Amino acid sequence: MSISLPREPDFDKAGGLVPAIAQDAENGEVLMMAWMNREAFQETLSTGRAVYFSRSRGKLWRKGEESGHQQQVRQILVDCDADTVLLKVDQKGAACHEGYRTCFFREVGPSETKIVAERLVNPEDVYKK
């Protein structure tokens, strides 16, 4: 029996955007979650560099274009429903715009939230805004 596999995520299912999770290819750490449209997915596939769709800017966001903190894509996986992308990447520098290696640096507990990671860079120095 032959199974027909989709060539790309089902962008139409969720109105043109799908969640894209970036994970460190070496140690499995989840680095960030962003959104991809079809154009971002195709550019990522063709260039081997992570490209997302910025909802706030309304345009493609080539990871690292301002900060230099690029993601080289080693593997692209699509989930069973074809509506979420997992990128296994080599992360250069901080993945988070707040200067942390991962965007998941806040631990939420029953009575407090605390920062559980070390900031790698000062965002003001990186983005110079």
Side-chain angles (χ1 to χ4, degrees), residues 29-30 98 100-109 112-120:
E29 179 180 30
V30 175
E98 291 193 29
Y100 294 88
R101 173 156 171 76
T102 173
C103 292
F104 300 94
F105 60 88
R106 295 182 185 104
E107 181 180 302
V108 179
E112 69 175 349
T113 299
K114 60 185 176 182
I115 293 176
V116 295
E118 195 174 317
R119 183 174 262 163
L120 300 180

Side-chain angles (χ1 to χ4, degrees), residues 34-100:
W35 298 95
M36 280 187 155
N37 64 4
R38 183 172 275 113
E39 186 180 1
F41 181 81
Q42 290 299 329
E43 187 171 323
T44 298
L45 193 59
S46 67
T47 65
R49 287 193 40 216
V51 179
Y52 303 102
F53 182 80
S54 171
R55 296 181 304 166
S56 60
R57 292 180 259 176
K59 65 177 190 171
L60 291 184
W61 161 38
R62 292 164 183 90
K63 181 69 176 144
E65 65 189 341
E66 289 181 40
S67 66
H69 300 163
Q70 300 174 356
Q71 294 173 339
Q72 189 66 38
V73 178
R74 279 213 221 157
Q75 186 179 30
I76 301 174
L77 300 162
V78 177
D79 79 328
C80 56
D81 294 323
D83 60 5
T84 302
V85 174
L86 174 64
L87 302 178
K88 294 198 177 187
V89 303
D90 291 324
Q91 175 68 49
K92 177 182 176 190
C96 179
H97 73 281
E98 291 193 29
Y100 294 88

